[in-house]
Amino acid sequence: AEIRAQFDAFARTGMRLDHVDAHNHMHVHPTLLGAIVAIGREYGMKAMRAPFEPFRLSVAGTVNAVVVAPWAARTRAVLRAAGIRTNDAVFGLNDTGRLDEARAVEIVERVREGLSELYCHPAAAASGYAREEELGALLSPRVRSAIERHGIVLTRYGDVA
């Protein structure tokens, strides 16, 4: 009922649904994933994030590799079997609230072929997380140059689903 209520609430906004994910990646739980896929299809869901970050990118990634990666791999398999587009990798999970220009350049230089997502929470003014630094990283000429140098095509879920 709660999953349907969330989709209903989003549908009432009139915005186009381009992908689905959940707070703290709760959507990787098998029971929730099954319900989200079933109900989401009724609402036109075509893409969903699988929170898989290559663990060697940060120390915190070891926890990700041990705890999250197996669930993310299962999520990707379920989504692909259901014909729902999902990412091959997501970068920035282990750097939540701490993504700066240097880290963004490092991530760009490690992106491989496939659909990758850069996970961040940029803002012009915020407390807690370093959201201004994350915004600065996204707007950085150094990051843009690295993207161009590596031939990365920027897109969004709505364009690939």
Side-chain angles (χ1 to χ4, degrees):
E2 180 58 32
I3 291 168
R4 184 170 302 283
Q6 293 292 322
F7 277 104
D8 281 341
F10 184 82
R12 285 192 303 275
T13 70
M15 292 187 291
R16 184 173 160 254
L17 179 65
D18 69 353
H19 79 287
V20 174
D21 57 42
H23 184 66
N24 290 329
H25 317 294
M26 292 300 295
H27 60 285
V28 303
H29 186 283
T31 301
L32 296 177
L33 178 62
I36 291 169
V37 168
I39 295 168
R41 283 182 154 169
E42 296 173 27
Y43 291 83
M45 182 178 86
K46 293 181 174 57
M48 184 177 211
R49 173 192 295 143
F52 172 74
E53 182 166 19
F55 68 91
R56 64 185 169 282
L57 286 179
S58 74
V59 174
T62 302
V63 172
N64 183 35
V66 173
V67 177
V68 179
W71 294 104
R74 181 189 181 284
T75 298
R76 276 197 319 230
V78 167
L79 294 173
R80 288 177 176 157
I84 295 172
R85 180 71 189 222
T86 190
N87 55 293
D88 298 298
V90 61
F91 297 94
L93 292 174
N94 297 319
D95 298 294
T96 298
R98 301 179 310 278
L99 183 72
D100 59 15
E101 180 186 66
R103 185 70 178 125
V105 169
E106 180 183 350
I107 287 170
V108 166
E109 299 204 355
R110 293 184 182 218
V111 169
R112 299 296 175 251
E113 189 172 329
L115 180 62
S116 294
E117 177 182 353
L118 178 61
Y119 181 90
C120 59
H121 299 88
S127 60
Y129 287 151
R131 296 182 194 272
E132 291 97 345
E133 280 189 46
E134 292 193 353
L135 178 60
L138 293 180
L139 300 175
S140 162
R142 279 187 59 218
V143 173
R144 173 56 94 175
S145 177
I147 289 168
E148 292 170 359
R149 190 170 56 254
H150 291 280
I152 295 171
V153 176
L154 300 179
T155 190
R156 32 177 214 198
Y157 278 102
D159 294 336
V160 298

